[in-house]
Amino acid sequence: MRKDVVRIIGKALDEAAGQGLIGEARPDIIVETPKKEEFGDFSTNVAMLLAPLEKKPPVEIARMLAGMIAKIPPVEKAVVAGPGFINIFLGKPFYRAVLEDILKKGEDFGRLDAGKGRRVQVEFVSANPTGPLHIGHGRNAAVGDALANVLEAAGYEVAREYYINDVGRQMQTLGESIRLRLLELEGEDVEFPEDFYRGEYVKDIARDYMQRYQPDYAGAPSFQDFGREAMLERIKKDLDDFGVRFDAWYSEKSLHDRGLVMDTIEELRRRGFIYESEGALWFRTTDFGDDKDRVLIKADKTMTYFASDIAYHRDKAERGFSAMVDVWGADHHGYEARIRALFKALGADDARLKIIFIQLVALLRKGVPVPMGKREGEFVTLRQVMDEVGRDACRFFFLMRKSDAHLDFDLELAKSAAPENPVYYVQYCHARIKSIMAFAREKKIEVPQTPGPAVFDGLNAEEIGIIKRLGAFEEVVERSAAAMEPHRITFYLMELAGLFHPYYNRNRVVTDDGNITAARLLLCDAVGNVVANGLRLLGVEAPSKM
RNA sequence: GCGCCUGUAGCUCAGUGGAUAGAGCAUCGGCCUCCGAAGCCGAGGGUCGGAGGUUCAAAUCCUCUCAGGCGCGCCA
């Protein structure tokens, strides 16, 4: 929609240049949708940008361009305002075409080719398989998945990946924790160390292990392997119920098994970024802006997690993605510099790597914070929240904020069927429209496929305004993808619902007037369609009944 | 101390360098014989943390500063 206007302005500029009225220099054409209706459907500051280049007053240039723009259909009029804005008013035929386009495209409205099929990887959640997913992972999952959806809609080919930290100290601790719990079950008196995994889930796993392999434990897997599988199964189930699926589960262990960790270290050594000191092996990340150098192999000859991480990212970088997105908890932001250092050390373009940080979620209950101490394993799990408030509310709430902003998640609000709950505000919009459509069908009202001029002329300014917002959906998707900010979809939907509900309350859709009824039904259909498409990107249901 | 994030209405937050800074909640007052009241209408509310700077134009960009959060291990 905006692109059409950009094209129109471009045409006017070309014509002005052709007539020798301006030079060939072209500033970036900025077209915006003004906040006020009286400023038109679109507005551009191109004359003000041109003024210094042409050494003419902006208003003079604006007048000249406005005259040319006004002659290009479907522009109805173009007026100069303020310091040199050109406000452009489009005619009804334009908005009729927009409505037609939305209805014709249906589910595909909002699907773009901006990505041109380029491959993008989104790696998210990647929680250690040593415990169940907690609320923070939930936000990570919601953001990562919605972002992947948005990128897909924008025309990228997206790969969703989960990186599993399945070797090292914490896996050993998990194995040991299970072993001790098993001994307990067998009646032994054990002292359970403070820093072991103390959650109930460990006891569950130990119980499973016992039931499956007792009495002689012949052929039983190691506690660690058993624990890993049990935890992954549980995590997958949680994510599945949350509506999140991955294309790949990438094992850290597999990096070691294939020798890629040592390979990577060797490559860095060849490139001269590795040195030994105090018995340890270091990567000189300070060459690339990190605060300090980082250890890859400790003095005890075991590897750090960072060693795996660089091997993993090296592998990613070689897989030919045009962009790689890592979604991390905000407490990991200190890692960004060292991962970027790896890219630079390998001569790879680290601009391809985008790291999104997910800030903490504060759970509230009627405004009172829910304690979330991680000690004793009593943190709030994604499962608990999902079970309490439902998947839709849960996902929607996680996407109501910019990911790098703290999020207050009020459980009572999320599950309340009250007007102040934004999830239902948007879903209700969809359900309401479906209900209206059903009502019209019951009344055997004929609705044309597309709005002809006679039908469309029945629509008033408020309805045209809604169509204008509907048309902007494509742009919202595009910007959301470009900025990698899925929350923009959420805000758009709340705004759209905020246009529709008041409109509905003031206007009857099904009336005695055939043309008006048809036009309004088509408008409703389009709104419902866009709401459904937007909710799909968020991974939230668009119910027909509530 | 250094680095990253955040300071916008009482609260929670939007806000592409543009025109008189917006929502929702909360508060107060109204609307269901009529397509879904999980909805709508109306009212009050602001030194965009502060100070400089760039610009025709700054909540937005730059510098400094104040406040809060997080991170700064041969931890995971």
Side-chain angles (χ1 to χ4, degrees), chain A residues 271-492:
Chain A
R271 290 172 178 267
F273 304 118
I274 298 291
Y275 65 93
E276 278 184 57
S277 172
E278 299 166 64
L281 197 72
W282 299 71
F283 173 18
R284 198 183 301 107
T285 53
T286 47
D287 281 2
F288 306 100
D290 198 6
D291 295 338
K292 51 189 300 189
D293 293 338
R294 307 291 170 179
V295 169
L296 296 174
I297 303 178
K298 296 179 260 181
D300 66 4
K301 300 303 161 205
T302 62
M303 299 212 190
T304 61
Y305 277 79
F306 182 51
S308 312
D309 288 343
I310 61 171
Y312 177 50
H313 281 85
R314 172 172 170 254
D315 181 63
K316 271 194 198 191
E318 287 172 356
R319 280 192 270 165
F321 297 110
S322 67
M324 290 153 275
V325 184
D326 284 2
V327 185
W328 292 353
D331 54 341
H332 287 78
H333 65 71
Y335 283 62
E336 179 165 9
R338 64 188 81 166
I339 291 293
R340 291 199 182 281
L342 169 78
F343 275 70
K344 291 173 190 154
L346 295 175
D349 180 13
D350 76 304
R352 281 157 66 212
L353 176 70
K354 162 90 177 173
I355 301 177
I356 292 177
F357 293 103
I358 306 288
Q359 274 291 355
L360 297 178
V361 179
L363 272 187
L364 308 176
R365 198 174 283 285
K366 287 183 181 154
V368 182
V370 176
M372 294 215 301
K374 216 171 174 179
R375 241 165 281 148
E376 305 296 319
E378 55 166 27
F379 42 86
V380 181
T381 63
L382 172 61
R383 168 69 58 188
Q384 287 172 288
V385 176
M386 212 182 348
D387 285 351
E388 181 170 345
V389 310
R391 185 178 110 176
D392 285 343
C394 198
R395 290 188 68 134
F396 196 95
F397 265 68
F398 284 141
L399 292 162
M400 277 199 320
R401 297 280 175 268
K402 247 186 318 211
S403 50
D404 52 14
H406 293 264
L407 171 66
D408 282 346
F409 190 138
D410 196 307
L411 294 164
E412 294 303 324
L413 174 61
K415 67 180 174 185
S416 75
E420 63 266 23
N421 187 341
V423 189
Y424 294 122
Y425 189 74
V426 174
Q427 288 187 319
Y428 185 64
C429 179
H430 184 264
R432 192 175 226 184
I433 287 168
K434 287 296 169 194
S435 167
I436 298 167
M437 306 304 283
F439 178 81
R441 264 197 307 280
E442 228 169 81
K443 294 247 170 190
K444 304 264 189 283
I445 290 168
E446 295 277 328
V447 185
Q449 292 289 83
T450 55
V455 166
F456 194 82
D457 274 350
L459 294 181
N460 60 33
E462 183 179 8
E463 290 160 331
I464 299 286
I466 293 174
I467 293 170
K468 211 189 286 185
R469 274 320 281 164
L470 291 176
F473 180 60
E474 292 183 314
E475 193 183 315
V476 171
V477 172
E478 188 172 346
R479 284 170 189 269
S480 178
M484 301 207 184
E485 293 181 346
H487 75 280
R488 291 173 185 240
I489 306 291
T490 317
F491 281 93
Y492 171 81

Side-chain angles (χ1 to χ4, degrees), chain A residues 21-205:
Chain A
L21 294 170
I22 58 169
E24 290 298 326
R26 292 282 184 285
D28 283 342
I29 300 173
I30 291 180
V31 174
E32 53 179 18
T33 47
K35 291 174 208 147
K36 306 213 125 198
E37 222 163 282
E38 65 232 53
F39 294 143
D41 297 322
F42 290 95
S43 134
T44 179
N45 63 349
V46 68
M48 286 181 278
L49 298 176
L50 227 38
L53 302 175
E54 299 295 328
K55 301 193 168 50
K56 283 183 194 162
V59 174
E60 187 181 313
I61 297 174
R63 273 205 202 99
M64 184 267 295
L65 284 176
M68 296 187 166
I69 289 169
K71 285 188 202 124
I72 304 171
V75 176
E76 206 168 66
K77 61 175 176 170
V79 301
V80 179
F85 290 103
I86 301 171
N87 295 333
I88 299 168
F89 296 77
L90 298 170
K92 272 195 168 182
F94 179 79
Y95 287 108
R96 190 163 66 81
V98 171
L99 180 57
E100 212 171 312
D101 188 47
I102 296 167
L103 293 168
K104 198 181 76 201
K105 286 184 178 155
E107 284 191 6
D108 288 333
F109 181 71
R111 202 158 273 291
L112 317 169
D113 59 2
K116 298 191 172 62
R118 284 188 294 251
R119 290 172 61 231
V120 176
Q121 187 209 47
V122 183
E123 182 222 316
F124 60 112
V125 187
S126 298
N128 297 328
T130 52
L133 297 177
H134 57 69
I135 192 79
H137 297 128
R139 187 177 184 192
N140 186 311
V143 170
D145 191 50
L147 173 62
N149 290 341
V150 168
L151 289 170
E152 265 166 6
Y156 293 91
E157 193 186 313
V158 179
R160 294 162 160 86
E161 186 156 307
Y162 186 119
Y163 177 64
I164 312 163
N165 285 111
D166 53 0
V167 290
R169 182 68 180 281
Q170 19 183 45
M171 287 309 291
Q172 286 171 19
T173 305
L174 176 68
E176 280 301 288
S177 303
I178 295 168
R179 190 177 67 83
L180 290 186
R181 290 303 189 203
L182 183 66
L183 290 177
E184 270 177 4
L185 288 171
E186 289 176 333
E188 276 190 45
D189 206 14
V190 300
E191 190 158 328
F192 203 83
E194 189 66 33
D195 56 347
F196 275 29
Y197 296 105
R198 307 180 72 89
E200 280 298 313
Y201 64 92
V202 179
K203 294 180 189 169
D204 294 342
I205 295 172

